[in-house]
DNA sequence: TGATGCATGTAATCCGTTACATGATTCA
DNA sequence: TGAATCATGTAACGGATTACATGCATCA
């Protein structure tokens, strides 16, 4: 998905600078299923402005660099709606972790547990991230839907991994349980 | 992750042509968490050969174009092991679907249900895909681990969406249930 | 006759990340 | 003093997808 549409989406929450948009994407509800770097956000914002989909306002700040605060225009809202009127592409999920698990025959034994523990740590981080971002406070009714979806999926992953991890590290049955 | 390593991984299952590797990635256990196109596989294979990590053998076929069958070398196995000795990068998950759900305020009402139904269809397809690929037949002990992981996550997603979908389309409480 | 599957490969193109450049303030 | 936060922006680079080129066989 285009970073431009993403920016329009974030701006529906209220005006923001490029820096703030990045933060919102990194820490807000978007975190788990979208990524964007400054290198793509700033150019996107510039172009969005050129296309008349957002307005800019320079905001001076004491002690801090000046901000460029962007806000949606009517045309911007329309462009967003139009982009949302198409059925979304299929989710993309890429996991080096699962590749390693699949290839576990070629893995050093200690790496197996280490990789699982790392994965568990990541998943738990994401889970607490969802709890912390107060989705109820957001002006988007979809926020809870998304947060709950994330919670459901992450919880299932954690449960599965915890169970498998226990099996693997149990002293009695290191490999065969059948 | 590099397509080269991916090819090495697929080749641990046995020798194969570029075309067959692509099929394996599309239809096998890899499907759910890895993607690769011909445009990346063929050059990768060429380079892998140049690096001495695989061997090639031209196989004539009647009625079909000739194949180039690739097989792992000892150095190839070593390279794979080495690549697997590093902790994997964090999973990447990108979902236009969740973006649309988040932005549901700007969505036409019929699109909401349509998008959810599409998503459900995708998830169920993936699930049956997992059931069909006989992981037990694979010479990789990690195959079951991966398949079960996928099953756990996909099942959780489907359950959640089915529940939400029912709530949304219920005639009595179209929006407020509280 | 036309689509689909088998089979390989290259080139153009897109899109994004990483790194670089700059600079003030605050906190440890 | 050094790291982190705030703040914007560009350029190089990488990596993969898409489209193009080719060609035979089979099935509907």
């Amino acid at each position: 998905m285009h970073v431009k549409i993403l920016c329009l989406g974030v701006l529906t929450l209220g005006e923001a600078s490029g820096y703030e948009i990045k933060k919102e994407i990194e820490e807000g509800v978007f975190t788990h299923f979208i990524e964007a770097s400054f290198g793509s956000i700033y150019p996107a914002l510039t172009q969005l402005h050129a296309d008349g989909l957002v307005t800019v306002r320079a905001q001076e700040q004491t002690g801090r660099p000046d901000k460029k605060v962007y806000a949606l225009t009517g045309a911007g809202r329309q462009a967003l709606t139009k982009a949302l009127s198409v059925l979304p592409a299929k989710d993309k999920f890429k996991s080096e972790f699962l590749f390693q698990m699949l290839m576990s025959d070629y893995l050093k034994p200690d790496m197996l547990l280490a990789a699982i523990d790392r994965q568990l740590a990541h998943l738990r981080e994401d889970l607490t991230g969802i709890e912390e971002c107060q989705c109820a406070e957001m002006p988007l009714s979809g926020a809870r839907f998304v947060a709950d979806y994330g919670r459901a999926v992450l919880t299932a992953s954690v449960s599965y991994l915890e169970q498998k991890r226990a099996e693997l590290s149990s002293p009695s049955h290191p490999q065969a349980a059948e």
Side-chain angles (χ1 to χ4, degrees), chain A residues 111-169:
Chain A
M111 265 302 289
L112 189 80
L113 281 183
I116 292 178
D117 287 338
R118 243 286 197 84
Q119 181 78 355
L120 271 170
H122 284 318
L123 295 170
R124 288 189 184 120
E125 248 175 62
D126 286 352
L127 257 176
T128 54
I130 287 183
E131 308 304 342
E132 275 167 13
C133 94
Q134 308 305 64
C135 303
E137 292 174 14
M138 284 184 57
L140 291 173
S141 62
R144 175 174 288 177
F145 180 102
V146 171
D148 287 348
Y149 188 100
R151 204 178 288 122
V153 171
L154 289 172
T155 304
S157 307
V158 169
S159 301
Y160 177 78
L161 283 186
E162 278 174 346
Q163 184 209 311
K164 281 288 167 182
R165 200 206 177 281
E167 284 174 22
L168 285 170
S169 62

Short mmCIF file of all heavy atoms in Angstrom, two decimals, chain A residues 111-169:
data_model
loop_
_atom_site.label_atom_id
_atom_site.label_comp_id
_atom_site.label_asym_id
_atom_site.label_seq_id
_atom_site.Cartn_x
_atom_site.Cartn_y
_atom_site.Cartn_z
N MET A 111 20.37 -22.82 19.26
CA MET A 111 19.74 -21.76 18.47
C MET A 111 18.23 -21.96 18.43
O MET A 111 17.47 -21.00 18.36
CB MET A 111 20.27 -21.78 17.04
CG MET A 111 21.40 -20.83 16.76
SD MET A 111 20.98 -19.12 17.12
CE MET A 111 19.82 -18.78 15.79
N LEU A 112 17.80 -23.20 18.45
CA LEU A 112 16.37 -23.48 18.36
C LEU A 112 15.62 -22.81 19.51
O LEU A 112 14.70 -22.02 19.30
CB LEU A 112 16.14 -25.00 18.40
CG LEU A 112 14.72 -25.45 18.11
CD1 LEU A 112 14.44 -25.44 16.62
CD2 LEU A 112 14.46 -26.83 18.68
N LEU A 113 16.06 -23.09 20.72
CA LEU A 113 15.40 -22.50 21.88
C LEU A 113 15.59 -20.99 21.91
O LEU A 113 14.65 -20.24 22.24
CB LEU A 113 15.92 -23.13 23.18
CG LEU A 113 15.33 -24.50 23.51
CD1 LEU A 113 15.87 -25.00 24.84
CD2 LEU A 113 13.80 -24.42 23.56
N ALA A 114 16.77 -20.55 21.54
CA ALA A 114 17.04 -19.11 21.54
C ALA A 114 16.10 -18.38 20.59
O ALA A 114 15.55 -17.33 20.91
CB ALA A 114 18.50 -18.85 21.16
N ALA A 115 15.91 -18.97 19.42
CA ALA A 115 15.03 -18.35 18.42
C ALA A 115 13.59 -18.31 18.91
O ALA A 115 12.89 -17.30 18.74
CB ALA A 115 15.12 -19.10 17.10
N ILE A 116 13.16 -19.39 19.55
CA ILE A 116 11.79 -19.43 20.07
C ILE A 116 11.61 -18.38 21.17
O ILE A 116 10.60 -17.67 21.20
CB ILE A 116 11.46 -20.85 20.61
CG1 ILE A 116 11.39 -21.84 19.44
CG2 ILE A 116 10.15 -20.84 21.37
CD1 ILE A 116 11.11 -23.26 19.86
N ASP A 117 12.60 -18.28 22.04
CA ASP A 117 12.50 -17.30 23.12
C ASP A 117 12.45 -15.88 22.57
O ASP A 117 11.70 -15.04 23.07
CB ASP A 117 13.68 -17.46 24.08
CG ASP A 117 13.55 -18.72 24.93
OD1 ASP A 117 12.41 -19.19 25.09
OD2 ASP A 117 14.57 -19.22 25.42
N ARG A 118 13.26 -15.62 21.56
CA ARG A 118 13.25 -14.31 20.93
C ARG A 118 11.88 -14.01 20.35
O ARG A 118 11.30 -12.94 20.55
CB ARG A 118 14.26 -14.30 19.77
CG ARG A 118 15.40 -13.35 19.91
CD ARG A 118 14.99 -11.90 19.70
NE ARG A 118 16.17 -11.09 19.47
CZ ARG A 118 16.73 -10.95 18.28
NH1 ARG A 118 16.23 -11.57 17.24
NH2 ARG A 118 17.79 -10.19 18.13
N GLN A 119 11.35 -15.00 19.65
CA GLN A 119 10.04 -14.85 19.03
C GLN A 119 8.98 -14.56 20.09
O GLN A 119 8.16 -13.66 19.94
CB GLN A 119 9.69 -16.12 18.25
CG GLN A 119 8.35 -16.08 17.54
CD GLN A 119 8.40 -15.27 16.26
OE1 GLN A 119 9.41 -14.66 15.93
NE2 GLN A 119 7.29 -15.26 15.52
N LEU A 120 9.03 -15.32 21.16
CA LEU A 120 8.07 -15.11 22.26
C LEU A 120 8.20 -13.69 22.81
O LEU A 120 7.19 -13.02 23.09
CB LEU A 120 8.32 -16.14 23.36
CG LEU A 120 7.56 -17.46 23.20
CD1 LEU A 120 8.05 -18.49 24.19
CD2 LEU A 120 6.05 -17.23 23.38
N ALA A 121 9.43 -13.24 22.97
CA ALA A 121 9.65 -11.89 23.48
C ALA A 121 9.03 -10.85 22.56
O ALA A 121 8.35 -9.93 23.00
CB ALA A 121 11.15 -11.64 23.64
N HIS A 122 9.25 -11.03 21.24
CA HIS A 122 8.67 -10.11 20.26
C HIS A 122 7.15 -10.08 20.38
O HIS A 122 6.53 -9.03 20.42
CB HIS A 122 9.04 -10.54 18.84
CG HIS A 122 10.44 -10.23 18.45
ND1 HIS A 122 11.05 -9.03 18.77
CD2 HIS A 122 11.36 -10.93 17.75
CE1 HIS A 122 12.29 -9.02 18.29
NE2 HIS A 122 12.50 -10.17 17.66
N LEU A 123 6.57 -11.26 20.41
CA LEU A 123 5.11 -11.36 20.44
C LEU A 123 4.54 -10.70 21.70
O LEU A 123 3.54 -9.98 21.64
CB LEU A 123 4.68 -12.83 20.38
CG LEU A 123 5.02 -13.58 19.09
CD1 LEU A 123 4.78 -15.07 19.24
CD2 LEU A 123 4.20 -13.03 17.92
N ARG A 124 5.20 -10.94 22.83
CA ARG A 124 4.71 -10.36 24.09
C ARG A 124 4.84 -8.84 24.08
O ARG A 124 3.97 -8.14 24.58
CB ARG A 124 5.49 -10.96 25.27
CG ARG A 124 5.11 -12.41 25.52
CD ARG A 124 5.72 -12.92 26.82
NE ARG A 124 5.43 -14.33 27.00
CZ ARG A 124 6.35 -15.30 27.10
NH1 ARG A 124 7.62 -14.99 27.03
NH2 ARG A 124 5.98 -16.55 27.27
N GLU A 125 5.92 -8.37 23.50
CA GLU A 125 6.10 -6.92 23.34
C GLU A 125 4.93 -6.33 22.56
O GLU A 125 4.34 -5.33 22.96
CB GLU A 125 7.37 -6.65 22.52
CG GLU A 125 8.50 -6.00 23.28
CD GLU A 125 9.73 -5.90 22.38
OE1 GLU A 125 9.65 -5.21 21.34
OE2 GLU A 125 10.75 -6.55 22.69
N ASP A 126 4.61 -6.97 21.45
CA ASP A 126 3.51 -6.48 20.62
C ASP A 126 2.21 -6.49 21.39
O ASP A 126 1.40 -5.57 21.29
CB ASP A 126 3.38 -7.35 19.36
CG ASP A 126 4.49 -7.07 18.36
OD1 ASP A 126 5.26 -6.12 18.58
OD2 ASP A 126 4.58 -7.81 17.37
N LEU A 127 2.01 -7.53 22.18
CA LEU A 127 0.78 -7.64 22.96
C LEU A 127 0.65 -6.50 23.96
O LEU A 127 -0.39 -5.85 24.05
CB LEU A 127 0.75 -8.98 23.71
CG LEU A 127 -0.16 -10.06 23.11
CD1 LEU A 127 -0.02 -11.35 23.88
CD2 LEU A 127 -1.61 -9.61 23.09
N THR A 128 1.70 -6.25 24.71
CA THR A 128 1.64 -5.15 25.68
C THR A 128 1.48 -3.83 24.95
O THR A 128 0.82 -2.92 25.44
CB THR A 128 2.89 -5.11 26.58
OG1 THR A 128 4.04 -5.07 25.75
CG2 THR A 128 2.96 -6.34 27.46
N GLY A 129 2.10 -3.73 23.76
CA GLY A 129 1.92 -2.52 22.96
C GLY A 129 0.46 -2.28 22.65
O GLY A 129 -0.01 -1.14 22.71
N ILE A 130 -0.27 -3.34 22.35
CA ILE A 130 -1.70 -3.21 22.06
C ILE A 130 -2.47 -2.77 23.30
O ILE A 130 -3.35 -1.91 23.23
CB ILE A 130 -2.27 -4.55 21.54
CG1 ILE A 130 -1.78 -4.81 20.13
CG2 ILE A 130 -3.79 -4.54 21.58
CD1 ILE A 130 -2.32 -6.08 19.50
N GLU A 131 -2.12 -3.34 24.43
CA GLU A 131 -2.84 -2.98 25.66
C GLU A 131 -2.60 -1.51 26.01
O GLU A 131 -3.51 -0.80 26.44
CB GLU A 131 -2.37 -3.87 26.83
CG GLU A 131 -2.41 -5.37 26.58
CD GLU A 131 -3.78 -5.87 26.15
OE1 GLU A 131 -4.76 -5.18 26.38
OE2 GLU A 131 -3.83 -6.98 25.57
N GLU A 132 -1.36 -1.07 25.79
CA GLU A 132 -1.01 0.28 26.21
C GLU A 132 -1.63 1.38 25.36
O GLU A 132 -2.02 2.42 25.87
CB GLU A 132 0.52 0.44 26.21
CG GLU A 132 1.14 -0.04 27.52
CD GLU A 132 2.65 -0.18 27.39
OE1 GLU A 132 3.22 0.31 26.40
OE2 GLU A 132 3.25 -0.81 28.29
N CYS A 133 -1.67 1.15 24.03
CA CYS A 133 -2.25 2.20 23.20
C CYS A 133 -3.75 2.23 23.43
O CYS A 133 -4.47 1.29 23.13
CB CYS A 133 -1.91 2.00 21.73
SG CYS A 133 -3.11 1.12 20.76
N GLN A 134 -4.20 3.28 24.04
CA GLN A 134 -5.62 3.39 24.38
C GLN A 134 -6.45 3.57 23.12
O GLN A 134 -6.66 4.69 22.66
CB GLN A 134 -5.86 4.57 25.33
CG GLN A 134 -4.97 4.61 26.57
CD GLN A 134 -5.02 3.35 27.42
OE1 GLN A 134 -4.62 2.29 26.94
NE2 GLN A 134 -5.49 3.47 28.62
N CYS A 135 -6.90 2.48 22.58
CA CYS A 135 -7.67 2.55 21.34
C CYS A 135 -9.02 3.20 21.57
O CYS A 135 -9.61 3.79 20.67
CB CYS A 135 -7.87 1.15 20.77
SG CYS A 135 -6.32 0.32 20.49
N ALA A 136 -9.51 3.09 22.79
CA ALA A 136 -10.81 3.68 23.10
C ALA A 136 -10.78 5.19 22.93
O ALA A 136 -11.77 5.82 22.56
CB ALA A 136 -11.20 3.32 24.53
N GLU A 137 -9.59 5.76 23.14
CA GLU A 137 -9.45 7.21 23.03
C GLU A 137 -9.41 7.69 21.59
O GLU A 137 -9.49 8.87 21.32
CB GLU A 137 -8.18 7.67 23.74
CG GLU A 137 -8.25 7.51 25.26
CD GLU A 137 -6.91 7.84 25.91
OE1 GLU A 137 -6.06 8.44 25.22
OE2 GLU A 137 -6.73 7.50 27.09
N MET A 138 -9.23 6.75 20.69
CA MET A 138 -9.08 7.16 19.30
C MET A 138 -10.43 7.47 18.66
O MET A 138 -11.42 6.81 18.95
CB MET A 138 -8.37 6.07 18.51
CG MET A 138 -6.87 6.04 18.79
SD MET A 138 -6.06 4.85 17.77
CE MET A 138 -6.51 5.44 16.15
N PRO A 139 -10.42 8.48 17.78
CA PRO A 139 -11.66 8.87 17.10
C PRO A 139 -12.04 7.92 15.97
O PRO A 139 -12.89 8.24 15.16
CB PRO A 139 -11.33 10.26 16.56
CG PRO A 139 -9.86 10.28 16.42
CD PRO A 139 -9.29 9.34 17.43
N LEU A 140 -11.40 6.76 15.94
CA LEU A 140 -11.73 5.79 14.89
C LEU A 140 -12.43 4.59 15.51
O LEU A 140 -11.88 3.93 16.39
CB LEU A 140 -10.46 5.31 14.18
CG LEU A 140 -9.72 6.33 13.33
CD1 LEU A 140 -8.41 5.75 12.85
CD2 LEU A 140 -10.58 6.76 12.16
N SER A 141 -13.61 4.31 15.03
CA SER A 141 -14.36 3.20 15.61
C SER A 141 -13.71 1.86 15.27
O SER A 141 -13.93 0.86 15.94
CB SER A 141 -15.80 3.23 15.14
OG SER A 141 -15.86 3.07 13.74
N GLY A 142 -12.91 1.85 14.22
CA GLY A 142 -12.27 0.61 13.82
C GLY A 142 -11.10 0.21 14.70
O GLY A 142 -10.60 -0.90 14.61
N ALA A 143 -10.66 1.13 15.53
CA ALA A 143 -9.46 0.88 16.33
C ALA A 143 -9.61 -0.33 17.23
O ALA A 143 -8.69 -1.14 17.36
CB ALA A 143 -9.11 2.12 17.16
N ARG A 144 -10.78 -0.46 17.85
CA ARG A 144 -10.96 -1.60 18.74
C ARG A 144 -10.97 -2.91 17.96
O ARG A 144 -10.37 -3.90 18.39
CB ARG A 144 -12.28 -1.46 19.52
CG ARG A 144 -12.57 -2.67 20.37
CD ARG A 144 -13.79 -2.49 21.24
NE ARG A 144 -13.52 -1.57 22.33
CZ ARG A 144 -14.43 -1.18 23.21
NH1 ARG A 144 -15.67 -1.62 23.09
NH2 ARG A 144 -14.12 -0.37 24.18
N PHE A 145 -11.65 -2.90 16.82
CA PHE A 145 -11.67 -4.08 15.95
C PHE A 145 -10.24 -4.56 15.67
O PHE A 145 -9.93 -5.74 15.85
CB PHE A 145 -12.38 -3.74 14.64
CG PHE A 145 -12.49 -4.87 13.66
CD1 PHE A 145 -13.69 -5.57 13.52
CD2 PHE A 145 -11.41 -5.24 12.88
CE1 PHE A 145 -13.79 -6.61 12.62
CE2 PHE A 145 -11.50 -6.29 11.97
CZ PHE A 145 -12.70 -6.96 11.84
N VAL A 146 -9.42 -3.63 15.25
CA VAL A 146 -8.04 -3.97 14.89
C VAL A 146 -7.25 -4.45 16.11
O VAL A 146 -6.52 -5.44 16.03
CB VAL A 146 -7.34 -2.75 14.25
CG1 VAL A 146 -5.86 -3.01 14.08
CG2 VAL A 146 -7.99 -2.43 12.91
N ALA A 147 -7.41 -3.74 17.21
CA ALA A 147 -6.69 -4.13 18.42
C ALA A 147 -7.09 -5.53 18.86
O ALA A 147 -6.24 -6.35 19.22
CB ALA A 147 -6.96 -3.12 19.53
N ASP A 148 -8.37 -5.82 18.81
CA ASP A 148 -8.85 -7.14 19.22
C ASP A 148 -8.36 -8.23 18.28
O ASP A 148 -8.03 -9.33 18.71
CB ASP A 148 -10.39 -7.15 19.26
CG ASP A 148 -10.91 -6.36 20.45
OD1 ASP A 148 -10.11 -6.02 21.33
OD2 ASP A 148 -12.12 -6.07 20.49
N TYR A 149 -8.31 -7.90 17.01
CA TYR A 149 -7.80 -8.86 16.03
C TYR A 149 -6.35 -9.20 16.38
O TYR A 149 -5.96 -10.37 16.45
CB TYR A 149 -7.88 -8.25 14.62
CG TYR A 149 -7.55 -9.19 13.49
CD1 TYR A 149 -8.56 -9.79 12.75
CD2 TYR A 149 -6.23 -9.45 13.13
CE1 TYR A 149 -8.27 -10.63 11.69
CE2 TYR A 149 -5.93 -10.29 12.08
CZ TYR A 149 -6.95 -10.88 11.35
OH TYR A 149 -6.66 -11.72 10.30
N GLY A 150 -5.56 -8.17 16.59
CA GLY A 150 -4.17 -8.36 16.95
C GLY A 150 -4.02 -9.18 18.21
O GLY A 150 -3.21 -10.11 18.29
N ARG A 151 -4.84 -8.86 19.20
CA ARG A 151 -4.77 -9.58 20.47
C ARG A 151 -5.07 -11.07 20.26
O ARG A 151 -4.37 -11.94 20.77
CB ARG A 151 -5.76 -8.97 21.46
CG ARG A 151 -5.39 -9.23 22.90
CD ARG A 151 -6.37 -8.56 23.85
NE ARG A 151 -6.23 -7.12 23.89
CZ ARG A 151 -7.19 -6.24 23.62
NH1 ARG A 151 -8.39 -6.67 23.28
NH2 ARG A 151 -6.96 -4.95 23.66
N ALA A 152 -6.10 -11.35 19.47
CA ALA A 152 -6.50 -12.74 19.22
C ALA A 152 -5.35 -13.52 18.57
O ALA A 152 -5.00 -14.61 19.02
CB ALA A 152 -7.74 -12.78 18.34
N VAL A 153 -4.78 -12.93 17.53
CA VAL A 153 -3.73 -13.63 16.79
C VAL A 153 -2.47 -13.80 17.64
O VAL A 153 -1.89 -14.89 17.71
CB VAL A 153 -3.39 -12.86 15.50
CG1 VAL A 153 -2.16 -13.45 14.84
CG2 VAL A 153 -4.57 -12.87 14.55
N LEU A 154 -2.07 -12.72 18.31
CA LEU A 154 -0.84 -12.79 19.10
C LEU A 154 -0.98 -13.77 20.25
O LEU A 154 -0.06 -14.53 20.57
CB LEU A 154 -0.48 -11.40 19.64
CG LEU A 154 0.00 -10.41 18.58
CD1 LEU A 154 0.13 -9.00 19.17
CD2 LEU A 154 1.34 -10.85 18.01
N THR A 155 -2.14 -13.77 20.88
CA THR A 155 -2.36 -14.69 21.99
C THR A 155 -2.26 -16.14 21.53
O THR A 155 -1.64 -16.97 22.19
CB THR A 155 -3.75 -14.45 22.61
OG1 THR A 155 -3.84 -13.07 23.00
CG2 THR A 155 -3.97 -15.33 23.82
N ALA A 156 -2.84 -16.42 20.37
CA ALA A 156 -2.77 -17.78 19.83
C ALA A 156 -1.32 -18.17 19.55
O ALA A 156 -0.90 -19.29 19.87
CB ALA A 156 -3.60 -17.87 18.55
N SER A 157 -0.54 -17.26 18.98
CA SER A 157 0.86 -17.54 18.68
C SER A 157 1.62 -17.84 19.96
O SER A 157 2.38 -18.81 20.04
CB SER A 157 1.51 -16.35 17.99
OG SER A 157 0.77 -15.95 16.87
N VAL A 158 1.43 -16.98 20.96
CA VAL A 158 2.15 -17.15 22.22
C VAL A 158 1.80 -18.50 22.86
O VAL A 158 2.69 -19.24 23.28
CB VAL A 158 1.83 -15.99 23.20
CG1 VAL A 158 2.35 -16.30 24.59
CG2 VAL A 158 2.45 -14.69 22.69
N SER A 159 0.52 -18.81 22.90
CA SER A 159 0.10 -20.08 23.51
C SER A 159 0.79 -21.25 22.83
O SER A 159 1.35 -22.14 23.48
CB SER A 159 -1.41 -20.26 23.39
OG SER A 159 -2.07 -19.20 24.01
N TYR A 160 0.72 -21.24 21.51
CA TYR A 160 1.32 -22.34 20.75
C TYR A 160 2.81 -22.48 21.05
O TYR A 160 3.30 -23.57 21.33
CB TYR A 160 1.09 -22.15 19.26
CG TYR A 160 1.75 -23.21 18.43
CD1 TYR A 160 1.18 -24.47 18.31
CD2 TYR A 160 2.96 -22.97 17.79
CE1 TYR A 160 1.79 -25.47 17.57
CE2 TYR A 160 3.58 -23.95 17.05
CZ TYR A 160 3.00 -25.20 16.93
OH TYR A 160 3.62 -26.19 16.21
N LEU A 161 3.51 -21.36 21.00
CA LEU A 161 4.96 -21.40 21.20
C LEU A 161 5.32 -21.82 22.62
O LEU A 161 6.27 -22.57 22.84
CB LEU A 161 5.59 -20.05 20.87
CG LEU A 161 5.74 -19.75 19.39
CD1 LEU A 161 6.52 -18.45 19.21
CD2 LEU A 161 6.47 -20.88 18.68
N GLU A 162 4.55 -21.34 23.58
CA GLU A 162 4.83 -21.71 24.97
C GLU A 162 4.71 -23.22 25.16
O GLU A 162 5.53 -23.87 25.79
CB GLU A 162 3.86 -21.00 25.91
CG GLU A 162 4.28 -19.58 26.23
CD GLU A 162 3.23 -18.84 27.05
OE1 GLU A 162 2.10 -19.34 27.15
OE2 GLU A 162 3.56 -17.75 27.58
N GLN A 163 3.66 -23.76 24.55
CA GLN A 163 3.44 -25.20 24.66
C GLN A 163 4.57 -25.99 24.01
O GLN A 163 5.15 -26.89 24.61
CB GLN A 163 2.11 -25.52 23.97
CG GLN A 163 1.68 -26.97 24.07
CD GLN A 163 0.83 -27.36 22.87
OE1 GLN A 163 -0.11 -26.64 22.52
NE2 GLN A 163 1.17 -28.47 22.23
N LYS A 164 4.92 -25.59 22.79
CA LYS A 164 5.98 -26.29 22.07
C LYS A 164 7.32 -26.16 22.77
O LYS A 164 8.12 -27.10 22.83
CB LYS A 164 6.10 -25.72 20.64
CG LYS A 164 5.04 -26.23 19.70
CD LYS A 164 5.29 -27.69 19.33
CE LYS A 164 4.06 -28.29 18.65
NZ LYS A 164 4.28 -29.71 18.32
N ARG A 165 7.54 -24.96 23.32
CA ARG A 165 8.80 -24.73 24.00
C ARG A 165 8.94 -25.67 25.21
O ARG A 165 10.00 -26.24 25.45
CB ARG A 165 8.89 -23.29 24.48
CG ARG A 165 10.30 -22.85 24.76
CD ARG A 165 10.40 -21.73 25.77
NE ARG A 165 11.81 -21.44 26.02
CZ ARG A 165 12.59 -22.17 26.81
NH1 ARG A 165 12.11 -23.24 27.40
NH2 ARG A 165 13.86 -21.84 27.00
N ALA A 166 7.85 -25.81 25.92
CA ALA A 166 7.85 -26.70 27.09
C ALA A 166 8.18 -28.13 26.66
O ALA A 166 8.98 -28.82 27.29
CB ALA A 166 6.50 -26.64 27.79
N GLU A 167 7.57 -28.56 25.57
CA GLU A 167 7.81 -29.92 25.08
C GLU A 167 9.29 -30.12 24.74
O GLU A 167 9.88 -31.14 25.06
CB GLU A 167 6.98 -30.18 23.82
CG GLU A 167 5.50 -30.42 24.10
CD GLU A 167 4.70 -30.53 22.80
OE1 GLU A 167 5.30 -30.83 21.76
OE2 GLU A 167 3.48 -30.29 22.86
N LEU A 168 9.85 -29.12 24.08
CA LEU A 168 11.24 -29.23 23.62
C LEU A 168 12.24 -29.26 24.77
O LEU A 168 13.25 -29.94 24.70
CB LEU A 168 11.57 -28.07 22.68
CG LEU A 168 10.98 -28.18 21.28
CD1 LEU A 168 11.18 -26.87 20.53
CD2 LEU A 168 11.64 -29.32 20.52
N SER A 169 11.96 -28.47 25.80
CA SER A 169 12.94 -28.37 26.88
C SER A 169 12.64 -29.32 28.04
O SER A 169 13.35 -29.32 29.02
CB SER A 169 13.00 -26.93 27.40
OG SER A 169 11.75 -26.57 27.94
#
